[in-house]
Amino acid sequence: MAGLVEESRRVAGVESHRHKYRISRAIIRGNHSCVHAVRYSEGEFQTHMETTPVPDISPIAAAPMRAHRDEWEERLLEHPEKLYALAAMTDGPFHVMYPGRVGRNIQGFRAAFENAQVNAYAIYYGKKANKAACVVTECVKHGAGVDVSSIAELDSALRGLVAGRDLVVTGPAKSDELLRRAAHADALITLDAPDELLRVLGLGIPARVTLRVRAPGSQSRFGMDDAQLDWATAKIAEAQTTGKRILLEGFSFHLSGYRTEPRARLAHRLIDRCLAARAHCPEVSMISIGGGFGVDYVAAADWKTFREEMTDSWFHAGRMPAPDNLYPYHFENPGPGMLTEILLTEQAESGRTLADRLNEHRVRLAIEPGRALLDRAGSTVFRVQGVKELDADGHRYLMLTADGTSLSLSEQWFASEYLPDPELVSPPGSAADAALPACVGGASCLEDDMISWRRIPLPRRARPGDLLVYPNTAGYQMDSNESAFHQLPVPRKIVLRDNADGGFAVEFDEVSAVPSRRPLRLLLRSVIGWVRPKRDTRSAPALPALDARPH
């Protein structure tokens, strides 16, 4: 048996007539596979073997895109009754947040700075990526600041106990009220245009500012060109001579795409601009390279197969997105690794790395990651409330209708597709019927309300009442397009934190909390024992802890 278990750790290939599929941790025995399964018991993972039929691969099914999963996700998915207990607490779909992963991601970026021996740096969380209060709490706990772009985000961060000096206020054409509140909080204000500088000066209160740079040759609507930057620097120096308390702390930029070389090249250029600006404003001491740090969602082989073999026959109504519209779901050197590449990029003229030049010229480097700090920190759960069989080219497939809309999976509204496959979770004891690939539609009257246009190769037939768990959605997918369209409930966020028993303590996130219309008796039917966890101050009865041990 030991040899069989060791063999099961390898990846076996299954060839269909359309494309190659890979079954992770499986060995094929004729028409069956011996699957390496993991159960969590008494504080440790235990391995055993399960024999299941190898499903027939439909020629109209998309290639699989299995998401990387953390240990906390494995714990939750191994116990369907726990997910159904969470579902009983909410109306409609819901989001699961695991803020402990945010702390790990912050530490990963900090380690990249430390390993490159950068003397001065700052990490700001891009709050627009997810408004959950639990993320802000984790930032405070791990010494990260917060990047905000509205009065509501500013107030939320301050309520979350972020110090004013640890806030950076970004975005175009900020209102006078936002500028005033930011200045009073002693937040760092990123000025996007010359008129913003004039309005800050007109407030007559002390302010800390940076100037946002438009990259040479860029067609971006954001930032200032070289002439405007020179004017703004001179204007701030002039204001200082007349007694106005405004400090120019440095320069910032944000580039689209995920290439490291353009970021490093512009960062080197901004060090030179800092040195020149010190002749007028000696306090200049920082540059910010913004966010855009890549996230690795799936394995290289899955991404390669999907990209190379993607065809409109995989998609309902042939609605295949343009390949260039897809996020790069496999990223070889994500997050902190991308930062390391930038820090170690040499300036062409001097041959010195960015890290060396930052230290040499006493310049602090700031970053503003959003998605990358939320990597593997949350999932989105939809209930299947309808199942319909459809036909494409003589092949059957399922159209699932979920209990929410694609507005809760925002990638769908950017002429794209969120590609990490959802996990199909069925009630304990459900029969495993023969698989059919499935698309997922929203519960609205719109043809374009599709949560997944592609036909996902689910492992078994989906049924009403099943759950679809979309992985790694905390970064932008949950919030950026959320809406109460059709007066459907906006998904709530349920926060999971590890407890001493190897399970989870549960609470609603305070930002998304609204009174539940589910009667308390539904919660009392839960298979989970009651504890007294933290309570949301604005709603909700006490919630049960999730004990990950099997009963």
Side-chain angles (χ1 to χ4, degrees), residues 242-253:
T242 63
K244 291 188 181 294
R245 291 179 291 171
I246 182 169
L247 295 177
L248 175 59
E249 297 204 355
F251 302 90
S252 70
F253 67 84

Side-chain angles (χ1 to χ4, degrees), residues 119-409:
N119 292 336
Y121 59 86
I123 302 169
Y124 296 97
Y125 162 59
K127 197 175 189 302
K128 61 183 176 292
N130 194 303
K131 66 187 178 185
C134 64
V135 178
V136 171
T137 299
E138 204 70 15
C139 289
V140 173
K141 178 179 175 182
H142 290 274
V146 178
D147 161 24
V148 302
S149 299
S150 69
I151 291 173
E153 286 186 347
L154 175 67
D155 290 347
S156 177
L158 291 171
R159 285 198 306 270
L161 303 182
V162 181
R165 287 191 67 85
D166 292 332
L167 291 170
V168 59
V169 181
T170 60
K174 291 173 277 294
S175 69
D176 287 350
E177 181 63 17
L178 177 55
L179 293 172
R180 183 178 296 107
R181 291 199 194 187
H184 278 304
D186 202 23
L188 183 63
I189 304 171
T190 298
L191 301 178
D192 184 68
D195 75 290
E196 279 195 331
L197 172 57
L198 296 177
R199 288 191 289 120
V200 168
L201 293 173
L203 294 176
I205 56 178
R208 303 163 53 226
V209 303
T210 62
L211 304 178
R212 180 162 177 173
V213 176
R214 186 185 309 134
S218 170
Q219 298 300 308
S220 172
R221 67 187 179 99
F222 302 114
M224 293 182 259
D225 61 26
D226 285 344
Q228 292 170 323
L229 293 169
D230 291 342
W231 175 88
T233 301
K235 190 70 176 178
I236 291 171
E238 176 189 332
Q240 290 174 346
T241 65
T242 63
K244 291 188 181 294
R245 291 179 291 171
I246 182 169
L247 295 177
L248 175 59
E249 297 204 355
F251 302 90
S252 70
F253 67 84
H254 183 95
L255 298 183
S256 299
Y258 301 95
R259 293 175 57 207
T260 58
E261 191 274 334
R263 287 173 168 80
R265 184 173 65 246
L266 188 51
H268 276 294
R269 191 167 182 267
L270 291 195
I271 291 177
D272 296 336
R273 180 168 280 281
C274 285
L275 297 179
R278 284 175 181 171
H280 307 285
C281 301
E283 69 275 10
V284 172
S285 59
M286 74 164 287
I287 60 174
S288 173
I289 63 174
F293 295 92
V295 167
D296 185 36
Y297 288 85
V298 302
D302 282 359
W303 177 233
K304 181 175 185 292
T305 297
F306 196 98
R307 289 275 292 178
E308 291 178 351
E309 302 188 13
M310 182 172 68
T311 170
D312 58 6
S313 66
W314 289 358
F315 293 81
H316 173 66
R319 293 285 293 270
M320 181 182 77
D324 288 346
N325 283 351
L326 295 175
Y327 183 87
Y329 285 98
H330 174 69
F331 209 90
E332 283 294 334
N333 209 13
M338 182 175 168
L339 174 60
T340 297
E341 286 187 19
I342 294 169
L343 293 173
L344 298 183
T345 299
E346 296 178 352
Q347 184 188 38
E349 297 82 357
S350 68
R352 295 178 62 76
T353 68
L354 180 62
D356 288 340
R357 295 193 70 223
L358 291 167
N359 293 340
E360 176 186 357
H361 298 297
R362 302 185 311 281
V363 175
R364 180 168 59 117
L365 182 66
I367 59 173
E368 300 161 17
R371 186 193 300 253
L373 286 192
L374 297 164
D375 184 23
R376 307 189 204 182
S379 300
T380 296
V381 184
F382 294 93
R383 298 173 183 82
V384 177
Q385 64 182 27
V387 178
K388 178 186 293 184
E389 278 200 28
L390 298 176
D391 179 274
D393 300 324
H395 299 280
R396 307 299 289 171
Y397 70 99
L398 300 180
M399 176 61 68
L400 311 182
T401 299
D403 62 345
T405 72
S406 55
L407 294 166
S408 297
L409 198 69

Side-chain angles (χ1 to χ4, degrees), residues 3-21:
L4 184 61
V5 171
E6 283 302 312
E7 188 180 5
S8 74
R9 297 180 190 276
R10 294 199 291 269
V11 175
V14 181
E15 193 76 34
S16 80
H17 66 283
R18 288 292 305 275
H19 46 257
K20 179 180 286 187
Y21 285 82

Side-chain angles (χ1 to χ4, degrees), residues 18 144 317 377 425 530:
R18 288 292 305 275
V425 178
W530 285 89

